[in-house]
Amino acid sequence: MKRIFFYIHLLLLTTLCLLLPISAASAADEAFSERISGMAEITGIRDSFNGDKTRIVIDATKPVKYKKMVLSGPDRVVVDIENAWLSPKVDKHIHIDNRFVGGVKIAQFDPKTVRVVVETKVGKNNYNVFALSSGKTPGRIVMDFGNLTDSDDAQIDMSKTGSHPSQPKTEPVKPSTPPEPAEKQEPAGGEDMDGELAGITGLKGRIIVIDPGHGGSDSGAIGPTGVMEKSVTLRVSNEVKRLLVKEGATVYMTRNADIEVSKKRAKATDIEELQARCDVANAKKADIFVSIHMDSFTNNAAKGTTGYYYSLGDKRSRKLADKIRAGIVDQLGTQSRGTQSSNFYVVKHTDMPATLVEVAFISNESEEKMLDSEEGIRKAAQGIADGIADYFG
């Protein structure tokens, strides 16, 4: 009788051990299904070549929205597909290497973003990105590269690229419902991110110090309706930090609230306050220092974006200032006032490439209104982040 009970007990234990993994897998499947509920699945990426143009098509199970940015050194077009997840059946690397496109990489950038990076050999006016939501595939993003027209409506001369067309090829990927893709944890910001794609954008592991201008007892300039410079610079800086951390950078802020940076607070002299901001960047051994400001002038018609650097400082500072200014102008549509040399304390007393950017004129009523809106803050921050990404290439 004891032997019978022993075998029954052994059978129950064996059955339990077999059921536990099934139960765990079922729970994981349920968690995955819940996480992707409402998101678009990226089911395929394919390319074709007709001699004059390379077309890359990304297929999705529903219409999608995307954001685009351009990087240089080497030239790349980056497309972030929002609210989407990548099927692991999709080939993450496509080698094209014709006279227009070098290659394509795609990966799950964060839990809700799929990133596509295209190494391109054409100028900025000779590619096009657009979305389609008609046809048999519910959602598509189309990227064309090649003999489009330049800004003068003339065809580009691709003979200078020194490469030859490859044979046409199409690699359709059928839709599938796979298990949850593996996600890599990054220390910066705790975001899920594909390390290789982070490396492509050049921000992974970079140490960046963002300096929101003014703060505490120093309001900075005040706009026609009372908007304070110190408030705008902090809001923009917080969004810049979020964007850069998402890209894998380590970001420090000279201030995270409406306070002075110096330990003496309001009792600090102007020099002590400015030096305290430089000390943050120098102590952290930052790769770059970016001080964010709003411009002001007695004539409220003055407008636009200006980048400043110290000409006797790090030789890379001008490039940094130029890239960030261009990024802001591209996002906000402000007038470019150029990149200029200056003696501003914070760009003169930092040990790394440094810039002070005047995003727009708070004394101009329309630019004050723009930078007091959520959209204006978001676009200004995106422009600064794009410029930094372009600087690191």
Side-chain angles (χ1 to χ4, degrees), residues 152-270:
D152 296 320
D153 293 327
Q155 286 194 326
I156 57 174
D157 181 8
M158 298 308 300
S159 62
K160 297 178 182 179
T161 62
S163 58
H164 302 283
S166 63
Q167 292 300 315
K169 65 175 182 176
T170 302
E171 299 177 359
V173 181
K174 295 181 179 179
S176 61
T177 306
E180 182 176 3
E183 295 173 351
K184 181 179 178 181
Q185 295 289 326
E186 288 293 330
E191 297 283 352
D192 295 311
M193 182 175 177
D194 184 282
E196 186 175 5
L197 282 179
I200 290 173
T201 56
L203 287 170
K204 183 176 173 60
R206 301 290 186 181
I207 300 174
I208 298 169
V209 169
I210 302 297
D211 174 40
H214 308 283
S217 59
D218 177 13
S219 67
I222 300 176
T225 67
V227 177
M228 295 184 181
E229 181 180 3
K230 67 176 183 178
S231 300
V232 175
T233 60
L234 184 59
R235 291 170 66 192
V236 172
S237 297
N238 281 330
E239 178 64 8
V240 172
K241 179 180 178 180
R242 186 189 70 80
L243 293 169
L244 296 177
V245 167
K246 185 178 178 181
E247 296 272 3
T250 298
V251 181
Y252 297 98
M253 302 261 286
T254 58
R255 66 181 180 97
N256 295 291
D258 184 17
I259 57 174
E260 295 85 356
V261 178
S262 171
K263 293 180 180 180
K264 293 184 178 180
R265 298 298 184 229
K267 295 181 179 180
T269 65
D270 288 346

Side-chain angles (χ1 to χ4, degrees), residues 203 208 210 240 244 288 290 324 384-392:
L203 287 170
I208 298 169
I210 302 297
V240 172
L244 296 177
I288 60 169
V290 180
I324 291 177
I384 293 170
D386 287 351
I388 291 173
D390 202 5
Y391 169 79
F392 285 118

Side-chain angles (χ1 to χ4, degrees), residues 1 26 35 55 108 132 154 170 207 253 263 275 308 354:
M1 183 63 71
S26 177
R35 185 174 76 81
R55 168 161 288 186
Q108 191 76 41
L132 292 175
T170 302
I207 300 174
M253 302 261 286
K263 293 180 180 180
Q275 185 58 50
Y308 291 99

Side-chain angles (χ1 to χ4, degrees), residues 1-11:
M1 183 63 71
K2 288 183 178 179
R3 179 171 291 184
I4 292 173
F5 279 119
F6 171 76
Y7 282 117
I8 292 173
H9 183 65
L10 182 62
L11 179 62

Side-chain angles (χ1 to χ4, degrees), residues 7 34 76 84 135 151 196 272 339 350 373 392:
Y7 282 117
E34 183 178 352
R76 287 145 294 160
S151 56
E196 186 175 5
E272 287 172 334
T339 301
T350 39
S373 69
F392 285 118

Side-chain angles (χ1 to χ4, degrees), residues 44-48 91 93-95 169-173:
I45 181 167
R46 46 201 166 92
D47 68 281
S48 60
D91 188 358
H93 303 268
I94 298 178
H95 184 68
K169 65 175 182 176
T170 302
E171 299 177 359
V173 181

Side-chain angles (χ1 to χ4, degrees), residues 336-383:
S336 174
R337 299 175 66 90
T339 301
Q340 304 175 27
S341 175
S342 74
N343 283 315
F344 290 133
Y345 192 96
V346 291
V347 296
K348 190 175 181 180
H349 293 85
T350 39
D351 299 335
M352 67 291 302
T355 182
L356 185 151
V357 60
E358 300 279 9
V359 176
F361 275 76
I362 202 168
S363 54
N364 180 291
E365 190 169 349
S366 63
E367 294 194 344
E368 177 202 31
K369 182 179 179 181
M370 174 176 62
L371 267 300
D372 193 38
S373 69
E374 290 300 322
E375 182 182 15
I377 294 294
R378 178 182 59 78
K379 286 185 175 181
Q382 187 66 61

